[in-house]
């Protein structure tokens, strides 16, 4: 990728190809790790998932890298992701590399939100990895999001607006249902990861920066969805979600 600065969006097609090849999919993880490990992943039991992943070949290695926050040898990452240069990943913010070990800087996991495996970019999951929450943290797909998706209509709609798109998971759901999708968010980090989420799933949608309805003022949509935002902060006494 000479001549341009690598981006998460630009690396996404090669990542998707490698993920499919190594079974880093929802059914692939269950086949490789077993249903107990999948359940443990759903409840953020990192210790159980790690024990299962260590003996699960390439699928387990990718899960350790992109969900559990484990550092993998550079040579192992190069063999798993042959078309993603480690240095390009560093410059894109996909991972960091020190002492020939690679550690992911994003959470990148497969989920099934009703249309088979989709991969979702988000920031590192603090329930799985000891990490410092960044001020513009982008939440991943938790049980609350999955519950919301289960009741979100998937009937045909010509256009869908996703307010506060975050990682883009609601937008992916809308696009998979055949709608033309638009996502708005006030945070550039959200739009960066949402763009990569669309790219890794070979989807195309409109992403606009700004608060709530402001970027689409005067426009009409057939359906409007939103995953209500949390106020994200350090896990200190006195911190509240609202």
């Amino acid at each position: 990728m000479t001549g341009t600065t690598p981006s998460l969006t630009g690396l996404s097609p090669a990542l998707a190809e490698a993920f499919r090849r190594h079974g880093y999919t929802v059914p692939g993880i269950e086949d490789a790790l077993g249903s107990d490990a999948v359940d443990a992943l759903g409840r953020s039991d990192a210790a159980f998932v790690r024990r299962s992943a260590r003996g699960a070949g390439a699928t387990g290695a990718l899960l350790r890298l992109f969900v559990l926050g484990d550092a993998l040898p550079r040579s192992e990452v190069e063999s798993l992701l042959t078309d993603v240069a480690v240095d390009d990943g560093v410059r894109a913010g996909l991972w960091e590399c020190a002492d020939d070990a690679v550690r992911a800087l994003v959470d990148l996991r497969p989920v099934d939100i009703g249309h088979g495996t989709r991969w979702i970019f988000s920031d590192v999951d603090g329930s799985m990895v000891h990490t410092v929450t960044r001020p513009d943290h982008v939440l991943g797909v938790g049980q609350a999001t999955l519950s919301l998706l289960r009741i979100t209509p998937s009937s045909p709609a010509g256009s869908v607006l996703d307010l506060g798109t975050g990682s883009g998971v609601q937008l992916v759901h809308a696009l998979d249902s055949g709608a033309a999708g638009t996502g708005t968010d006030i945070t550039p980090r959200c739009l960066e990861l949402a763009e990569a989420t669309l790219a890794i799933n070979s989807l195309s949608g409109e992403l606009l920066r700004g608060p709530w309805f402001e970027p689409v003022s005067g426009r009409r949509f057939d359906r409007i969805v939103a995953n209500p935002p949390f106020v994200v902060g350090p896990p200190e006494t006195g911190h509240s979600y609202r």
Side-chain angles (χ1 to χ4, degrees), residues 119-211:
W119 296 284
I120 307 297
F121 280 88
S122 64
D123 277 316
V124 173
D125 184 349
S127 67
M128 299 293 285
V129 182
H130 181 69
T131 185
V132 176
T133 302
R134 50 186 294 159
D136 55 354
H137 180 87
V138 180
L139 286 169
V141 181
Q143 293 304 312
T145 297
L146 292 174
S147 295
L148 179 62
L149 285 165
R150 291 186 191 104
I151 63 171
T152 299
S154 57
S155 55
S159 59
V160 174
L161 171 63
D162 178 18
L163 291 173
T165 195
S167 67
V169 62
Q170 281 276 355
L171 190 56
V172 168
H173 184 265
L175 293 168
D176 277 332
S177 299
T182 297
T184 67
D185 208 291
I186 197 170
T187 308
R189 176 69 172 172
C190 289
L191 297 177
E192 177 190 9
L193 296 191
E195 181 182 59
T197 291
L198 295 184
I200 200 170
N201 294 296
S202 300
L203 296 170
S204 179
E206 181 183 35
L207 293 167
L208 302 173
R209 184 184 177 189

Side-chain angles (χ1 to χ4, degrees), residues 15 18 40 66 69 75 99 149 174 178:
L15 287 169
F66 286 117
S75 58
D99 299 324
L149 285 165

Side-chain angles (χ1 to χ4, degrees), residues 4-20:
T4 60
T5 301
S7 66
L8 296 177
T9 295
L11 297 179
S12 288
L15 287 169
E17 183 178 349
F19 291 170
R20 285 189 288 266

Side-chain angles (χ1 to χ4, degrees), residues 3 17 22 25 32 44 48 50 52 54 61 66 68 87 126 163 170 173 191 193 198 201 225 233:
E17 183 178 349
H22 294 303
T25 62
S44 299
F48 188 98
R50 182 173 284 107
S52 303
R54 282 177 175 153
F66 286 117
L68 297 174
D87 290 343
L163 291 173
Q170 281 276 355
H173 184 265
L191 297 177
L193 296 191
L198 295 184
N201 294 296
V225 299

Side-chain angles (χ1 to χ4, degrees), residues 30-120:
E30 183 163 5
D31 289 344
L33 277 72
S35 59
D36 288 345
V38 173
D39 291 342
L41 184 60
R43 63 176 183 269
S44 299
D45 185 345
F48 188 98
V49 175
R50 182 173 284 107
R51 287 195 300 270
S52 303
R54 282 177 175 153
T59 305
L62 290 170
L63 189 66
R64 289 175 58 209
L65 177 65
F66 286 117
V67 177
L68 297 174
D70 290 355
L72 299 186
R74 178 176 181 137
S75 58
E76 184 174 5
V77 173
E78 289 173 336
S79 68
L80 289 169
L81 304 171
T82 54
D83 293 326
V84 182
V86 169
D87 290 343
D88 283 350
V90 170
R91 288 188 288 161
L94 180 63
W95 49 48
E96 60 185 359
C97 184
D99 299 324
D100 277 334
V102 175
R103 187 185 302 275
L105 297 175
V106 296
D107 183 294
L108 177 50
R109 69 179 72 188
V111 298
D112 187 342
I113 56 176
H115 299 272
T117 293
R118 299 292 180 265
W119 296 284
I120 307 297

